[in-house]
Amino acid sequence: MEIKKYTHYVQYYETDKMGITHHSNYVRWMEEARVDFLRQIGWDYARLEAEGIISPVVGVSCKYKHSTTFADTVTIEVKVAEYSGIKLRLSYTMTNEKGEVCCTGESEHCFVNEAGRIVMIKKDYPAFHEVLSSLIEKK
């Protein structure tokens, strides 16, 4: 399954007094890209919530490589870096129009039900498990 990349256009309000994108926005863009990624694989947040699945962030990291400014186009590629059936780790690569990597990052998620108990995706949601397993990044 080919995953399309997510595109974000840097907004003026996302920049600081120096005209550079504030560092906190890259984490927001990872969230936007993750939501879009889930939609692309057929498991958008509306579906997850309808199934009773909540996927909180348990960790996030970023490495800033190249600054962006207002009106830049940032393309974000999302990959499944690791998936255990209980936890999911996604990797993000953000590039500008010139193809320069601006930021790399990761987010880690677990899956819980509405009561806050861990959900075993492989056992309880085999169709979702199958999709995530098929997308694990090969090293």
Side-chain angles (χ1 to χ4, degrees):
M1 172 187 297
E2 184 179 329
I3 302 301
K4 295 177 184 172
K5 296 176 182 178
Y6 176 76
T7 302
H8 179 84
Y9 302 96
V10 179
Q11 303 299 307
Y12 184 76
Y13 72 86
E14 294 175 315
T15 63
D16 60 20
K17 190 173 181 177
M18 298 178 292
I20 305 296
T21 303
H22 190 271
H23 68 277
S24 65
N25 288 295
Y26 293 88
V27 174
R28 292 179 187 194
W29 301 347
M30 288 166 49
E31 171 85 9
E32 291 175 17
R34 182 175 71 253
V35 168
D36 187 66
F37 169 81
L38 290 168
R39 179 193 59 77
Q40 288 184 53
I41 66 171
W43 284 85
D44 63 15
Y45 267 98
R47 181 175 180 184
L48 289 174
E49 290 176 356
E51 295 278 351
I53 303 170
I54 301 167
S55 183
V57 175
V58 296
V60 66
S61 66
C62 288
K63 298 269 188 201
Y64 305 102
K65 311 271 186 187
H66 193 281
S67 61
T68 59
T69 59
F70 172 60
D72 282 352
T73 301
V74 178
T75 302
I76 306 170
E77 183 178 74
V78 181
K79 293 182 181 176
V80 176
E82 187 178 351
Y83 169 67
S84 69
I86 297 172
K87 282 191 174 181
L88 172 66
R89 185 168 49 89
L90 298 173
S91 67
Y92 306 84
T93 303
M94 302 178 203
T95 56
N96 63 19
E97 303 97 330
K98 298 174 190 172
E100 299 167 317
V101 174
C102 304
C103 181
T104 59
E106 290 189 339
S107 61
E108 294 180 64
H109 310 265
C110 66
F111 301 98
V112 298
N113 62 22
E114 293 166 342
R117 294 206 165 98
I118 295 291
V119 172
M120 305 288 287
I121 296 298
K122 183 176 182 175
K123 177 181 167 227
D124 299 329
Y125 301 94
F128 187 33
H129 171 76
E130 196 65 35
V131 171
L132 290 175
S133 294
S134 73
L135 295 171
I136 296 172
E137 184 178 23
K138 307 294 187 248
K139 295 189 180 188

